[in-house]
Amino acid sequence: MFTKLQQWLSAIFLYASFWLSSFYDKLPLTLSDPWKEIIFASPIYFLITFACFSLATIGYRVAIFNDCTEASEELKKEIIEAKKDLEKKGLKIS
Amino acid sequence: MAKDKYSILLPTYNERENLPLIIWLIVKYMDESDIDFEVIVIDDGSPDGTLDVAKELQKIYGESKVVLRPREKKLGLGTAYIHGMKHAKGNYILIMDADLSHHPKFIPEFIAKQKSKNYDVVSGTRYEGDGGVYGWDLKRKIISRGANFLAQILLRPGASDLTGSFRSCLRRVQTGRQRDCFSTPRGFSLCSLQRDLY
Ligand SMILES: Nc1nc2c(ncn2[C@@H]2O[C@H](COP(=O)(O)OP(=O)(O)OP(=O)(O)O)[C@@H](O)[C@H]2O)c(=O)[nH]1
Ligand SMILES: [Mg+2]
């Protein structure tokens, strides 16, 4: 069983070693220049994609965040009812 | 088979206004659904006299319904749960906030959900379905959503609300494993989730 931290570290390590070995031409493949450029810039691509994705997701979720106005109204009524009933039952709050 | 009993843990700190209301609501909805329960109030020496109010409530509802397990001073929410759990007589534990953030009307739904597939843990959420918040401004919503988003990505816990409403949760009493879950005060919800879901 791996912890989440270990999972993240191994993923980052894998990616970093892949990126570094392509950077120093140590990969056992012959890559054309455009491919190398893509790999070289890939961290930035990832970052930008992730940033856009995050912003969109968070923005959307903030927008659909439920405002429980009805529930709040209902609760207010119940609170009044509760206070009356508790007083009847003899609750003394000085 | 004996009837199930639910121990509702209510940690309180300066909740003298809210405590009578939350207990009244709990009694109302539990009686409506004919559920056997006890409320365990864990007050951490609130300076506003929450404990006195709790004693009054105990007189009204009886010592078997309202159980008082006060502590001398403010020791934190996490340990309050452990403390309350040690005294729980029910075969199910239910935890919720005493400040009316979690409405007792959902307790029967929690129980029905738990029974439907014999779940180990059932938790509420602010982020999905009918869940939600009230009186939050944009900034607070953004922070909440942002933090939740990060937590979801980093931890992939398989539960939608770790920090808040996981405090409103229902779980079966288990032996051994359970106790050591609840070791860190605030990180408690994360930690118990990890152990239960993986
Ligand atoms: N026994 C005990 N209860 C506590 C302690 N701190 C908080 N509580 C209770 O735990 C519940 C939740 O605490 P809150 O302070 O409302 O925490 P929160 O909901 O995350 O924050 P808010 O946005 O301020 O509502 C309430 O019922 C409090 O009374 C503590 O140190 N000891
Ligand atoms: Mg609260």
Side-chain angles (χ1 to χ4, degrees), chain A residues 1 4 7-8 50 53-54 57-58 61-62 64-69 72 74-76 78-79 81-83 85-86 89-94, chain B residues 16 20-21 24-25 28-29 56-57 60-61 100 103 105 126-127 129-134 138 141-142 144-146 149 153-156 198:
Chain A
M1 204 46 224
K4 281 284 163 323
Q7 290 176 21
W8 277 106
F50 178 70
F53 171 69
S54 309
T57 319
I58 294 173
R61 287 179 180 175
V62 166
I64 61 162
F65 218 141
N66 232 350
D67 277 308
C68 306
T69 354
S72 146
E74 190 194 325
L75 182 62
K76 273 183 204 148
E78 279 183 311
I79 287 176
E81 198 188 330
K83 279 184 178 157
D85 188 52
L86 283 165
K89 288 194 164 84
L91 180 74
K92 290 179 289 284
I93 315 175
S94 41
Chain B
R16 88 176 268 131
L21 303 175
W24 187 87
L25 286 167
K28 176 182 170 187
Y29 287 97
E56 289 291 319
L57 289 161
I60 294 174
Y61 291 109
L100 302 173
H103 198 298
K105 72 179 169 192
R126 293 164 294 183
Y127 300 122
D130 294 333
V133 294
Y134 177 73
L138 191 62
K141 283 185 179 174
I142 293 174
S144 175
R145 282 295 197 184
F149 175 77
I153 290 201
L154 291 177
L155 301 167
R156 280 162 287 138
Y198 294 90

Side-chain angles (χ1 to χ4, degrees), chain B residues 15 97-102 140 167 186:
Chain B
E15 303 286 2
D97 285 4
D99 62 357
L100 302 173
S101 303
H102 308 143
R140 191 158 175 200
R167 289 207 308 262
R186 275 277 166 164

